[in-house]
Amino acid sequence: MDLVQMQKSLQDYTKSLFLEGILDSQFLQLQQLQDESNPDFVSQVVTLFFQDSDRILNDLSLSLGQQVVDFKKVDPHVHQLKGSSSSIGAQRVKNACVVFRNFCEQQNVEACHRCLQQVKQEYYLVKNRLETLFKLEQQIVASGGMIPAVELGF
Amino acid sequence: MSLFHVLGFGVKIGHLFWMLCCWFVSWFVDNGIEDNNNNKSGLLVGSVGDLEKTNKMTTLKKKNFFNRISTCGLKIPSFSYQFLGSVKFNKTWWRKLVVAWVVFWLLVSIWTFWYFSSQAMEKRKETLTSMCDERARMLQDQFNVSMNHVQAMSILISTFHHGKIPSAIDQRTFSEYTDRTSFERPLTSGVAYAMRVLHSEREEFERQQGWTIRRMDSLEQNPVHKDEYDPEALEPSPVQEEYAPVIFAQDTVSHVVSLDMLSGKEDRENVLRARRSGKGVLTAPFPLIKTNRLGVILTFAVYKRDLPSNATPKERIEATNGYLGGVFDIESLVENLLQQLASKQTILVNVYDTTNHSQPISMYGSNVFVDELERVSLLNFGDPFRKHEMRCRFKQKPPWPVLSMVTSFGILVIALLVAHIIHATVSRITKVEEDCHKMEQLKQKAEAADVAKSQFLATVSHEIRTPMNGVLGMLHMLMDTELDVTQQDYVRTAQASGKALVSLINEVLDQAKIESGNLELEDVRFDLRGILDDVLSLFSGKSQQKGVELAVYISDRVPEMLIGDPGRFRQILTNLMGNSIKFTEKGHIFVTVQLVEELFESIDGETALTPEGTLSGLPVADGQRSWENFKAFSSNGHRSFEPSPPDINLIVSVEDTGIGIPLEAQSRIFTPFMQVGPSISRTHGGTGIGLSISKCLVGLMKGEIGFSSTPKVGSTFTFTAVFSNGMQQTERKNDPQNNNNQLMCSEFRGMKAVVVDHRPARAKVSWYHFQRLGIRVEVVARVEQALHYMKIGTTTVNMILIEQEIWNREADVFIKKLQKEPLVLSPKLFLLANSVESSMPDAFCNGTDPPIVIVKPLRASMLAATLQRGLGIGNREPPQHKGPPALVLRNLLLGRKILIVDDNNVNLRVAAGALKKYGADVVCAESGIKAISLLKPPHEFDACFMDIQMPEMDGFEATKRIRDMEEEMNKRIQNGEALIVENGNKTSWHLPVLAMTADVIQATHEECLKCGMDGYVSKPFEAEQLYREVSRFFNSPSDTES
């Protein structure tokens, strides 16, 4: 594939992520933080996010699967997830977490289960997309191109 | 003012009336009760002391009560709340009082009724008594007169009948005499004389008289009518011990002659009693013989000799010669008597013989009783044995006691009316109070709603801002893609709209904050001139585009550093200047900053405004009118101002030559969302909220804002603001900002410039800006003068600055002259122009250097840069202080050691990345506990960013612990216990701790400060905010180095 075309498709892909609301401006800021001194910053952070989130979702599934749900344990997990997702700009995960926390406060087990599913769904979506994004970037880098700088437009 | 007077007068009048009423009522009640008291005690003859006492007590109470009301009345003008309050408190008490009042007056009215009617009764009784007594006395008198006459007659008989022999009286003489003297005995119907005849003398007596003695028993038993009366039919008297035959009789009673008086039961008793007592005696009333009417007979004994008054009955009987009897026809007599008296119609008289008490014998009058009231008068007819009495009654029943009824009813009505008034007043007051209470509740509700509205606005605005950022970001990205011209245009428009929307939201947020009172001003040191430069550069593009001259003049006397809220000050200025730019198409916009004192000093020398005196030569609105209504200036009479020494009172005016504000819109210019007209917002945009916010902000700065505007000429907005002086004299040289200025100045210090400008106002602005750079300026009006000055001048002139206006006019002359006689040391030529486009004159076709154009508005930094370029000096870049935040942040954070505490790995990583990017040395901690262990003094951290919500130990708790540790350390340092380690100058520990939080709510902010944190940043870091917070703690490195 042509390098220019690859760059264009990367740009389009990034845009589509924003348009679908999967990512927000925070992700752009994250990209801004990446420079020569710290070339893999974004992917590092995102990988960290994936590790953390996998663990948290696991814990959440366990906690909610129990006979008596201890909401005092559930809530910090959700908060954690919300914090990290907002940090990397995974907007839809974050929103799902906000809803989740509301139901935690109400101690609504059934709704929490539904929310967990929703959060998982959103999480896998963003994971999927980001992995694709990184793959695209790696391809560009591999073929010797520059990753087009994303303008911070705010 | 006059309305107020009228109101006051009304209140006074009302008060007077109220006092009068109180006084009157209290007087009335007091008197009334005292009267009652007197009456009652008089009536009861002091028998019931207790009652009297209680009455007095009530009087006292009443007095107190009314005194209280009148004292309350005194307080009426101040609408004493206490009074109302007490009324509320005593609502039930009032009700009881009203009931008591009604009951009391009911009793009073009943008593009045009873009293009055008893009075009437009494009077009636008295009338009856007097009338009755009068009648009785008259009857008695007349009777006595008659009796005396009868007695006199008895003496006559004893003298002329028994005393003379032969007798001088016979039946004929007697009857004639008695008939003729009967007028003297009006009460007697007839008189008769009976002689005492013993049985032994009977025959001789009968023979002498020629008739037999007859008895009258049968007569009495079988009373006959007058006509049928036949004396001859009577039986002769049976044999008796003695007889009392009637020998003489008046004609009216001539039928009794020869009748034995002793044979009649009544007469016999009478006769016997008469001779025994020697006085006149009366019979019981009985029907008279022949007339058959009721009558009594008065009998006197006739004695043979004059007996002493103490003679015994026996002697009297012995001496008796005969008996004289008078017949009294009571009925006719009483009638006669009553005829003579007035008002006989009203009274009914009965006469009774009450000798036998159980069976009184009626002597006169009917027994028809109408009235209960009866008066009994005793009658003394001279016979102690017989008792008579007269009983009088009124013929009519007593009339209705109209007077008493009316009086008592009247009292009751008045009392009820008063009670009603009191009741109405009390219930009215209660109602008003309830209404007031309701109003208060409504007010609270409304206020709550207002707060809710503001909160809602704030929330919504905040929520809108977030997605708007996305929109703007995407638009920005979109612009970088390959778009054709039309698309580019669309995107630009969309972005402009978006930006407008964001700024609108910011304004609404401000408004909401101001309305909910949440807006607080900062107190930081700032450079006023710098801010004005900033604002100027903000508008420079627009002004150049429009060809409007923009200028700022700040008086020398305004200190370089002030303490206040620069952001808000800037906001006000931006607002006013934004408006001016919007509405000005030609001419100028001129911002002047002065001290208020200075303004007043300059007024004295001020001349009338002429168009030439203004910046662009166009007429402007009279600026003085915009501030002459300020309260601070007119507090004591005429315009004057008393500056308080530590405060700096600035007066800032923004003068433009725009379209002005229509007169009808001038009154609502500061009302939120009110604009001059709908067409204005269509042509010029804007929301109309800016001026209202500015007004609020000015108010917060303890200043005032005003304007004067002439349509089609222009407007001048003026506001004052109070700041404190940020310049201590000693500090002056060390000031970092000042350093900056000094750096700039040093390059130009000692230079001399000539400004060619014929407008003094504009020249003054130029002068001010060059002065700031340390350049000495000479202002001349014409080019020739400038040249002349340079020739004769002792000092070298480094530059000539020519106004574009003059240049356009005189450039040719100037250049020619310059070419003709070139100066030894040719000064640099600068042109002061309003816009870049204003063309370079074509005259520079020959070798002379083209003049360098300085594009207005003049700003220190820009001016310095241009001059540097022009003069070819000082390539050194002055330190950038007003650069983009990211750069400054780098300056601030470079090499700082910062601890980040967050339990979330991702967050930690991102935050660390962000801070590292700015050059900070970042250390991470995953929990509050770890942070505490790291931050145990002594340590080398310069700042700490702390997440608030963490498991085990949250940010608040951790910060508290850190502060505790620091305090302990500080104590030890003070006591000299602890070594002052590494940082030799560190005498006290206070690590800046900033909270990292996702929700930026006021409450959280306050909580942060309470726990000893120094500030907060929102979680995804924003460069601007980070800079704002961080710059509060870190001075720039250059500062610390120096």
Side-chain angles (χ1 to χ4, degrees), chain A residues 1-62:
Chain A
M1 217 196 295
D2 191 2
L3 187 64
V4 180
Q5 212 164 9
M6 278 208 296
Q7 280 176 341
K8 177 124 176 59
S9 69
L10 174 65
Q11 244 177 356
D12 287 348
Y13 191 70
T14 316
K15 257 182 222 166
S16 76
L17 287 181
F18 284 101
L19 286 178
E20 285 172 44
I22 295 171
L23 295 180
D24 64 12
S25 62
Q26 184 58 31
F27 188 73
L28 290 180
Q29 296 217 3
L30 215 59
Q31 286 183 325
Q32 285 276 304
L33 295 180
Q34 177 170 300
D35 53 18
E36 299 82 34
S37 63
N38 205 353
D40 293 330
F41 181 71
V42 177
S43 63
Q44 271 175 17
V45 170
V46 171
T47 316
L48 194 63
F49 170 66
F50 290 157
Q51 285 169 6
D52 261 17
S53 303
D54 282 337
R55 183 177 48 78
I56 290 169
L57 286 173
N58 222 3
D59 286 354
L60 274 176
S61 304
L62 277 175

Side-chain angles (χ1 to χ4, degrees), chain B residues 334-406:
Chain B
V334 174
E335 217 140 288
N336 276 344
L337 177 75
L338 294 183
Q339 292 275 328
Q340 296 165 18
L341 287 166
S343 65
K344 62 181 155 96
Q345 299 294 335
T346 55
I347 199 163
L348 204 67
V349 177
N350 282 318
V351 182
Y352 289 92
D353 182 308
T354 53
T355 311
N356 186 353
H357 242 293
S358 55
Q359 276 181 321
I361 305 156
S362 171
M363 290 161 79
Y364 173 78
S366 62
N367 281 327
V368 188
F369 300 138
V370 188
D371 193 15
E372 300 287 299
L373 192 63
E374 192 185 51
R375 167 67 190 180
V376 177
S377 307
L378 291 176
L379 292 170
N380 184 13
F381 288 150
D383 182 354
F385 182 71
R386 294 259 160 218
K387 292 204 172 67
H388 298 86
E389 54 184 45
M390 182 183 268
R391 297 180 183 179
C392 303
R393 287 161 196 271
F394 279 104
K395 270 184 189 163
Q396 266 108 33
K397 278 204 158 195
W400 283 94
V402 178
L403 178 71
S404 53
M405 271 159 65
V406 166

Side-chain angles (χ1 to χ4, degrees), chain B residues 139 142-144 146 185-189 327-330 333-334:
Chain B
L139 190 63
Q142 294 211 358
F143 194 87
N144 283 341
S146 301
R185 305 178 301 277
L187 295 180
T188 53
S189 56
V327 182
F328 289 83
D329 183 349
I330 296 286
L333 292 179
V334 174

